[in-house]
Structures are given as C-alpha cells and as structure tokens.
Amino acid sequence: MVFPEGGGIAGFVYWLIKSIMGWGWVSYGFAIFFFTLFIKLMLSPLDFVNKYLSRRNQVKQQALSAEIADLQQVYANDPLAFTKAKQELFRKNGVGGLGSSLMSLVSVIITMVVFFQVLGALNTISKDNIYHEYTELVAVYEQYTTDADGNKIAPDTLTDEQKTALHDALNAKYNETRTSFFWVKNIWQPDTPWSSAVMTFDEFNQSQPKNHQLADDQKDTYNAIRDNLDAGVKGVNGWLILAILTGVTSFLSTKLSMFMNQRNMPKPAEKKAPEPLITYSMRDAKRQAIASGEKPVVDPAQMGKIMQWVMPAILILFGLMQTSAFAIYLISSSLVSTLLTTLFTFLVDLIIKKQRPQLEPKKDFDATIINPHAKYFKGGRK
C-alpha cells in the first residue's frame, strides 16, 4: 500500500492509518476500525461534557417539577407570564440550556468537519493505491512485451508459452498488490454487484486526478492487462453487505441514543386546577389564547423519529456510492459511538447520583417579580 503526503486533518489521517498498518498484523480494513476508535476517543471528552451538561439540566428540571406546576396554576390565564416566570425559576436554579447547546453545536461542527476530511482522505488513499496497482501491473506487462533492445512486442505475436507466463505474472502481481476485505475483492471500489473489482479504462480515468489520467494511446495496454486478469479477481466486487451494515448500525446507534435521552427526560409537571387570579382586557386575553394554542414549528420528538430513518438512509447512499474503505469507516463509527454512548451514560448517571443533593431546587424564588398578583406561589409573597 501507498500513502499520500499532506498536512492538516487529511495529513493526520494518512499518518495515523499508516502507523496502524505499521503494526504488521493489521489489515487495511481493521486499520480503519482502529483509526475510527482513536478518532472517537480523541473527541470523547467533548461528547462526555455535552452529555453531562444535558443530564444535569434534566435532573434540575425534574427537581423543579412541583414549582413549575405551581407556576402553571398561578399563570393559568397568562401563558406569556408563565414562560417568563419559568425562565426566572430556571435562572435562579442554574438550569441553562445555553452551555449544553453550545457544546452540542461545537460537537456537531467538529463531527461534520472530521467526517468530510476523513471522506476526502480515504478517497485520496483509494485513488493513489488504484494508480499504484496499475503502475505495478504495467511494469510486469512491459517485461514480457519488450525485447532485449527495448523494442515493443505486439501481444498477439507472443507464443502460447509467453502468453501463459504473462498471464500468470500479471495475476500474481495483482494478488500481491490488491487490498481485499473478506468478501470484498477490492476495497477501493464500492461493495456492490454492479461494481467491478478492476475498473474499465474510462472508470479508471474518472476516478483519477488529471495528473494520473491515462492518454488514449495507453488504452490498449490497460485493456490488455485487464483482459489477462482472472475473472475471479476482476468480477463482481461485492454484495451490498457493507451498505446494509452501514444502515443497520446507524439505525441502532441512533435508536440507542434516543432511548437514553428519553429515559432521562424530566417528567412533565402535573397540572393543577387553575384559580381565578386577575382579569385582563379582551385584547390581552385573545393574544394569550392564541399564544397558548401555538405549537412549536419543529417538534423535537417527531424530528428524532424522522432522523432515526433519514440518517441510516443517507449513510446507506454513502455506502453504495463511496469506496468499501469508507463504508467500513461508517460502520466502525456507528459501533464505537454506540459503545461510548452506553459507557458515558453510565458514568454520567454515577456522577449525577453523587451530585444530586447539590441539585435540589432553591425555595426562595419569588414569582411576584413577574406578576405582583402571584400570591399563591410556593415561596412567593403571601
């Protein structure tokens, strides 16, 4: 295998995979798994802090459920004031979504940057190795089609013995240089039945940057080499298994994450029968009735249900269109994310359990700062 040179994140990807391959006993497919594990562990502190902040906010909101129920009673006729009072209650008790939201945003941005950088790096590795395989085969081909004086020999003028020797030499070199993964014959090609393990001349040029593309006068040589390879190594490259595993592992990872979040979601406050507090103008009452009847533009629960199907579908497309190497990365990423999500949830629960006494709500909140008529609120003015 060959690895390109480069800087930045792509250069780090080249160096890390090359270092893992240097262990000697690791194939390229498993090197991608260890590479993914290393990247996930590097980003895990950010993910852990994000989960901790979210869980702490959930616990604090759960502890304030009784106070929120009282606010609902007090502001039964004034939903706008209820929102302000609840926000003040959250501020008083240190329940802030800004910190966790920023951490989530940073985590998403970093994840997307890493995703596309890894995609580009693995594609570059694939292109370089496809070209390297071709140059190795050309060197073997020219040994048998060039005489002692350096003159070209037409392939059809070779004897049967020479043709057999050329055939065997090309297949031996190809089996030596190609990179396979279980059922996938060529890891630089998608794991699909409509992809050939050895590209056609046009497919080869489409896959390569301009400086590696072949001229038209090299087409005969390329086709002669391809024709000499055994059908078993240049036939169907795969059977969609990696693409299917990409969707399944992504779905299970998303499902587990949703389950963990729902398990820790604070229970909604119990609504109490409203007591008459204050009479507003008809205009204010109409405005508040409209406000109370408004529904969020995006329902987080519904969006989560949609994403658990959309994301696997998107990743399946990546698995079908990109190389098998990248499909292995996607599968490894989902598996490692599932393991880390389970571990982090367990650790965060242990930490929150020890901190629970510090998360108890403050009872000195005064709802009358929002509405002087809120005299029934627990802890407010009597």
PDB file of all heavy atoms in Angstrom, residues 23-42:
ATOM      1  N   TRP A  23       1.881  -1.788  12.382  1.00  0.00           N
ATOM      2  CA  TRP A  23       1.897  -2.845  13.407  1.00  0.00           C
ATOM      3  C   TRP A  23       2.200  -4.204  12.791  1.00  0.00           C
ATOM      4  O   TRP A  23       2.659  -5.106  13.485  1.00  0.00           O
ATOM      5  CB  TRP A  23       0.556  -2.903  14.137  1.00  0.00           C
ATOM      6  CG  TRP A  23       0.223  -1.654  14.890  1.00  0.00           C
ATOM      7  CD1 TRP A  23       1.056  -0.610  15.161  1.00  0.00           C
ATOM      8  CD2 TRP A  23      -1.038  -1.315  15.467  1.00  0.00           C
ATOM      9  NE1 TRP A  23       0.397   0.365  15.865  1.00  0.00           N
ATOM     10  CE2 TRP A  23      -0.901  -0.043  16.063  1.00  0.00           C
ATOM     11  CE3 TRP A  23      -2.276  -1.952  15.521  1.00  0.00           C
ATOM     12  CZ2 TRP A  23      -1.943   0.597  16.726  1.00  0.00           C
ATOM     13  CZ3 TRP A  23      -3.324  -1.328  16.177  1.00  0.00           C
ATOM     14  CH2 TRP A  23      -3.155  -0.076  16.779  1.00  0.00           C
ATOM     15  N   GLY A  24       1.895  -4.340  11.498  1.00  0.00           N
ATOM     16  CA  GLY A  24       2.243  -5.558  10.790  1.00  0.00           C
ATOM     17  C   GLY A  24       1.141  -6.587  10.697  1.00  0.00           C
ATOM     18  O   GLY A  24       0.943  -7.205   9.653  1.00  0.00           O
ATOM     19  N   TRP A  25       0.399  -6.782  11.760  1.00  0.00           N
ATOM     20  CA  TRP A  25      -0.617  -7.838  11.780  1.00  0.00           C
ATOM     21  C   TRP A  25      -2.007  -7.311  11.444  1.00  0.00           C
ATOM     22  O   TRP A  25      -2.979  -8.074  11.423  1.00  0.00           O
ATOM     23  CB  TRP A  25      -0.665  -8.499  13.154  1.00  0.00           C
ATOM     24  CG  TRP A  25      -0.853  -7.523  14.288  1.00  0.00           C
ATOM     25  CD1 TRP A  25       0.128  -6.869  14.969  1.00  0.00           C
ATOM     26  CD2 TRP A  25      -2.088  -7.086  14.859  1.00  0.00           C
ATOM     27  NE1 TRP A  25      -0.402  -6.035  15.919  1.00  0.00           N
ATOM     28  CE2 TRP A  25      -1.771  -6.156  15.880  1.00  0.00           C
ATOM     29  CE3 TRP A  25      -3.422  -7.375  14.599  1.00  0.00           C
ATOM     30  CZ2 TRP A  25      -2.745  -5.530  16.639  1.00  0.00           C
ATOM     31  CZ3 TRP A  25      -4.394  -6.744  15.368  1.00  0.00           C
ATOM     32  CH2 TRP A  25      -4.054  -5.839  16.375  1.00  0.00           C
ATOM     33  N   VAL A  26      -2.128  -6.012  11.141  1.00  0.00           N
ATOM     34  CA  VAL A  26      -3.434  -5.394  10.898  1.00  0.00           C
ATOM     35  C   VAL A  26      -3.651  -5.214   9.401  1.00  0.00           C
ATOM     36  O   VAL A  26      -2.817  -4.617   8.718  1.00  0.00           O
ATOM     37  CB  VAL A  26      -3.536  -4.034  11.611  1.00  0.00           C
ATOM     38  CG1 VAL A  26      -4.916  -3.436  11.397  1.00  0.00           C
ATOM     39  CG2 VAL A  26      -3.263  -4.193  13.092  1.00  0.00           C
ATOM     40  N   SER A  27      -4.773  -5.725   8.899  1.00  0.00           N
ATOM     41  CA  SER A  27      -5.143  -5.472   7.507  1.00  0.00           C
ATOM     42  C   SER A  27      -5.706  -4.058   7.398  1.00  0.00           C
ATOM     43  O   SER A  27      -6.028  -3.420   8.403  1.00  0.00           O
ATOM     44  CB  SER A  27      -6.185  -6.483   7.041  1.00  0.00           C
ATOM     45  OG  SER A  27      -7.418  -6.297   7.723  1.00  0.00           O
ATOM     46  N   TYR A  28      -5.864  -3.586   6.158  1.00  0.00           N
ATOM     47  CA  TYR A  28      -6.323  -2.216   5.972  1.00  0.00           C
ATOM     48  C   TYR A  28      -7.739  -2.023   6.516  1.00  0.00           C
ATOM     49  O   TYR A  28      -8.045  -0.989   7.117  1.00  0.00           O
ATOM     50  CB  TYR A  28      -6.278  -1.844   4.487  1.00  0.00           C
ATOM     51  CG  TYR A  28      -6.631  -0.404   4.233  1.00  0.00           C
ATOM     52  CD1 TYR A  28      -5.748   0.619   4.547  1.00  0.00           C
ATOM     53  CD2 TYR A  28      -7.861  -0.059   3.691  1.00  0.00           C
ATOM     54  CE1 TYR A  28      -6.071   1.943   4.331  1.00  0.00           C
ATOM     55  CE2 TYR A  28      -8.197   1.262   3.459  1.00  0.00           C
ATOM     56  CZ  TYR A  28      -7.295   2.259   3.783  1.00  0.00           C
ATOM     57  OH  TYR A  28      -7.631   3.564   3.584  1.00  0.00           O
ATOM     58  N   GLY A  29      -8.614  -3.020   6.327  1.00  0.00           N
ATOM     59  CA  GLY A  29      -9.980  -2.911   6.824  1.00  0.00           C
ATOM     60  C   GLY A  29     -10.023  -2.739   8.334  1.00  0.00           C
ATOM     61  O   GLY A  29     -10.740  -1.872   8.861  1.00  0.00           O
ATOM     62  N   PHE A  30      -9.233  -3.529   9.060  1.00  0.00           N
ATOM     63  CA  PHE A  30      -9.218  -3.415  10.514  1.00  0.00           C
ATOM     64  C   PHE A  30      -8.429  -2.185  10.962  1.00  0.00           C
ATOM     65  O   PHE A  30      -8.680  -1.647  12.046  1.00  0.00           O
ATOM     66  CB  PHE A  30      -8.632  -4.682  11.138  1.00  0.00           C
ATOM     67  CG  PHE A  30      -9.570  -5.852  11.091  1.00  0.00           C
ATOM     68  CD1 PHE A  30      -9.382  -6.872  10.182  1.00  0.00           C
ATOM     69  CD2 PHE A  30     -10.651  -5.916  11.946  1.00  0.00           C
ATOM     70  CE1 PHE A  30     -10.272  -7.940  10.121  1.00  0.00           C
ATOM     71  CE2 PHE A  30     -11.544  -6.976  11.901  1.00  0.00           C
ATOM     72  CZ  PHE A  30     -11.351  -7.989  10.980  1.00  0.00           C
ATOM     73  N   ALA A  31      -7.488  -1.734  10.125  1.00  0.00           N
ATOM     74  CA  ALA A  31      -6.779  -0.493  10.445  1.00  0.00           C
ATOM     75  C   ALA A  31      -7.747   0.679  10.473  1.00  0.00           C
ATOM     76  O   ALA A  31      -7.616   1.595  11.295  1.00  0.00           O
ATOM     77  CB  ALA A  31      -5.667  -0.247   9.425  1.00  0.00           C
ATOM     78  N   ILE A  32      -8.737   0.663   9.575  1.00  0.00           N
ATOM     79  CA  ILE A  32      -9.749   1.723   9.576  1.00  0.00           C
ATOM     80  C   ILE A  32     -10.554   1.686  10.867  1.00  0.00           C
ATOM     81  O   ILE A  32     -10.904   2.735  11.432  1.00  0.00           O
ATOM     82  CB  ILE A  32     -10.674   1.577   8.348  1.00  0.00           C
ATOM     83  CG1 ILE A  32      -9.887   1.824   7.065  1.00  0.00           C
ATOM     84  CG2 ILE A  32     -11.854   2.543   8.425  1.00  0.00           C
ATOM     85  CD1 ILE A  32     -10.691   1.610   5.805  1.00  0.00           C
ATOM     86  N   PHE A  33     -10.854   0.468  11.368  1.00  0.00           N
ATOM     87  CA  PHE A  33     -11.597   0.370  12.631  1.00  0.00           C
ATOM     88  C   PHE A  33     -10.789   0.976  13.775  1.00  0.00           C
ATOM     89  O   PHE A  33     -11.322   1.764  14.575  1.00  0.00           O
ATOM     90  CB  PHE A  33     -11.925  -1.086  12.946  1.00  0.00           C
ATOM     91  CG  PHE A  33     -12.522  -1.277  14.314  1.00  0.00           C
ATOM     92  CD1 PHE A  33     -13.861  -1.011  14.550  1.00  0.00           C
ATOM     93  CD2 PHE A  33     -11.728  -1.690  15.377  1.00  0.00           C
ATOM     94  CE1 PHE A  33     -14.405  -1.162  15.814  1.00  0.00           C
ATOM     95  CE2 PHE A  33     -12.269  -1.848  16.649  1.00  0.00           C
ATOM     96  CZ  PHE A  33     -13.609  -1.585  16.865  1.00  0.00           C
ATOM     97  N   PHE A  34      -9.504   0.610  13.891  1.00  0.00           N
ATOM     98  CA  PHE A  34      -8.670   1.163  14.965  1.00  0.00           C
ATOM     99  C   PHE A  34      -8.491   2.672  14.794  1.00  0.00           C
ATOM    100  O   PHE A  34      -8.451   3.419  15.784  1.00  0.00           O
ATOM    101  CB  PHE A  34      -7.312   0.465  14.996  1.00  0.00           C
ATOM    102  CG  PHE A  34      -7.366  -0.942  15.517  1.00  0.00           C
ATOM    103  CD1 PHE A  34      -7.091  -2.012  14.690  1.00  0.00           C
ATOM    104  CD2 PHE A  34      -7.714  -1.192  16.835  1.00  0.00           C
ATOM    105  CE1 PHE A  34      -7.148  -3.312  15.162  1.00  0.00           C
ATOM    106  CE2 PHE A  34      -7.788  -2.490  17.320  1.00  0.00           C
ATOM    107  CZ  PHE A  34      -7.501  -3.555  16.488  1.00  0.00           C
ATOM    108  N   PHE A  35      -8.382   3.116  13.560  1.00  0.00           N
ATOM    109  CA  PHE A  35      -8.301   4.553  13.288  1.00  0.00           C
ATOM    110  C   PHE A  35      -9.559   5.265  13.788  1.00  0.00           C
ATOM    111  O   PHE A  35      -9.484   6.310  14.450  1.00  0.00           O
ATOM    112  CB  PHE A  35      -8.117   4.773  11.789  1.00  0.00           C
ATOM    113  CG  PHE A  35      -8.498   6.145  11.310  1.00  0.00           C
ATOM    114  CD1 PHE A  35      -7.653   7.219  11.505  1.00  0.00           C
ATOM    115  CD2 PHE A  35      -9.716   6.379  10.675  1.00  0.00           C
ATOM    116  CE1 PHE A  35      -8.006   8.488  11.066  1.00  0.00           C
ATOM    117  CE2 PHE A  35     -10.077   7.632  10.243  1.00  0.00           C
ATOM    118  CZ  PHE A  35      -9.208   8.695  10.432  1.00  0.00           C
ATOM    119  N   THR A  36     -10.735   4.690  13.482  1.00  0.00           N
ATOM    120  CA  THR A  36     -12.004   5.279  13.925  1.00  0.00           C
ATOM    121  C   THR A  36     -12.083   5.307  15.444  1.00  0.00           C
ATOM    122  O   THR A  36     -12.526   6.304  16.034  1.00  0.00           O
ATOM    123  CB  THR A  36     -13.188   4.479  13.359  1.00  0.00           C
ATOM    124  OG1 THR A  36     -13.047   4.344  11.949  1.00  0.00           O
ATOM    125  CG2 THR A  36     -14.503   5.171  13.666  1.00  0.00           C
ATOM    126  N   LEU A  37     -11.664   4.220  16.082  1.00  0.00           N
ATOM    127  CA  LEU A  37     -11.671   4.164  17.548  1.00  0.00           C
ATOM    128  C   LEU A  37     -10.795   5.270  18.135  1.00  0.00           C
ATOM    129  O   LEU A  37     -11.196   5.948  19.089  1.00  0.00           O
ATOM    130  CB  LEU A  37     -11.175   2.789  18.003  1.00  0.00           C
ATOM    131  CG  LEU A  37     -11.052   2.565  19.513  1.00  0.00           C
ATOM    132  CD1 LEU A  37     -12.406   2.698  20.193  1.00  0.00           C
ATOM    133  CD2 LEU A  37     -10.437   1.197  19.801  1.00  0.00           C
ATOM    134  N   PHE A  38      -9.629   5.476  17.558  1.00  0.00           N
ATOM    135  CA  PHE A  38      -8.715   6.503  18.051  1.00  0.00           C
ATOM    136  C   PHE A  38      -9.325   7.895  17.892  1.00  0.00           C
ATOM    137  O   PHE A  38      -9.255   8.725  18.814  1.00  0.00           O
ATOM    138  CB  PHE A  38      -7.387   6.417  17.294  1.00  0.00           C
ATOM    139  CG  PHE A  38      -6.317   7.322  17.830  1.00  0.00           C
ATOM    140  CD1 PHE A  38      -5.532   6.940  18.908  1.00  0.00           C
ATOM    141  CD2 PHE A  38      -6.093   8.572  17.254  1.00  0.00           C
ATOM    142  CE1 PHE A  38      -4.550   7.790  19.408  1.00  0.00           C
ATOM    143  CE2 PHE A  38      -5.120   9.418  17.743  1.00  0.00           C
ATOM    144  CZ  PHE A  38      -4.342   9.025  18.827  1.00  0.00           C
ATOM    145  N   ILE A  39      -9.922   8.169  16.735  1.00  0.00           N
ATOM    146  CA  ILE A  39     -10.543   9.478  16.485  1.00  0.00           C
ATOM    147  C   ILE A  39     -11.683   9.719  17.468  1.00  0.00           C
ATOM    148  O   ILE A  39     -11.821  10.813  18.045  1.00  0.00           O
ATOM    149  CB  ILE A  39     -11.056   9.569  15.039  1.00  0.00           C
ATOM    150  CG1 ILE A  39      -9.887   9.551  14.050  1.00  0.00           C
ATOM    151  CG2 ILE A  39     -11.895  10.821  14.840  1.00  0.00           C
ATOM    152  CD1 ILE A  39      -8.960  10.727  14.155  1.00  0.00           C
ATOM    153  N   LYS A  40     -12.523   8.702  17.679  1.00  0.00           N
ATOM    154  CA  LYS A  40     -13.649   8.833  18.608  1.00  0.00           C
ATOM    155  C   LYS A  40     -13.165   9.085  20.030  1.00  0.00           C
ATOM    156  O   LYS A  40     -13.770   9.871  20.781  1.00  0.00           O
ATOM    157  CB  LYS A  40     -14.513   7.578  18.560  1.00  0.00           C
ATOM    158  CG  LYS A  40     -15.330   7.420  17.291  1.00  0.00           C
ATOM    159  CD  LYS A  40     -16.465   8.427  17.238  1.00  0.00           C
ATOM    160  CE  LYS A  40     -17.362   8.205  16.052  1.00  0.00           C
ATOM    161  NZ  LYS A  40     -18.473   9.195  15.999  1.00  0.00           N
ATOM    162  N   LEU A  41     -12.095   8.414  20.424  1.00  0.00           N
ATOM    163  CA  LEU A  41     -11.555   8.629  21.772  1.00  0.00           C
ATOM    164  C   LEU A  41     -10.984  10.036  21.918  1.00  0.00           C
ATOM    165  O   LEU A  41     -11.072  10.644  22.988  1.00  0.00           O
ATOM    166  CB  LEU A  41     -10.480   7.582  22.074  1.00  0.00           C
ATOM    167  CG  LEU A  41     -10.983   6.147  22.282  1.00  0.00           C
ATOM    168  CD1 LEU A  41      -9.817   5.197  22.480  1.00  0.00           C
ATOM    169  CD2 LEU A  41     -11.941   6.066  23.466  1.00  0.00           C
ATOM    170  N   MET A  42     -10.403  10.566  20.848  1.00  0.00           N
ATOM    171  CA  MET A  42      -9.894  11.939  20.887  1.00  0.00           C
ATOM    172  C   MET A  42     -11.032  12.942  21.101  1.00  0.00           C
ATOM    173  O   MET A  42     -10.866  13.948  21.817  1.00  0.00           O
ATOM    174  CB  MET A  42      -9.165  12.266  19.586  1.00  0.00           C
ATOM    175  CG  MET A  42      -7.787  11.666  19.458  1.00  0.00           C
ATOM    176  SD  MET A  42      -6.986  12.182  17.919  1.00  0.00           S
ATOM    177  CE  MET A  42      -6.954  13.966  18.124  1.00  0.00           C
TER     178      MET A  42
END
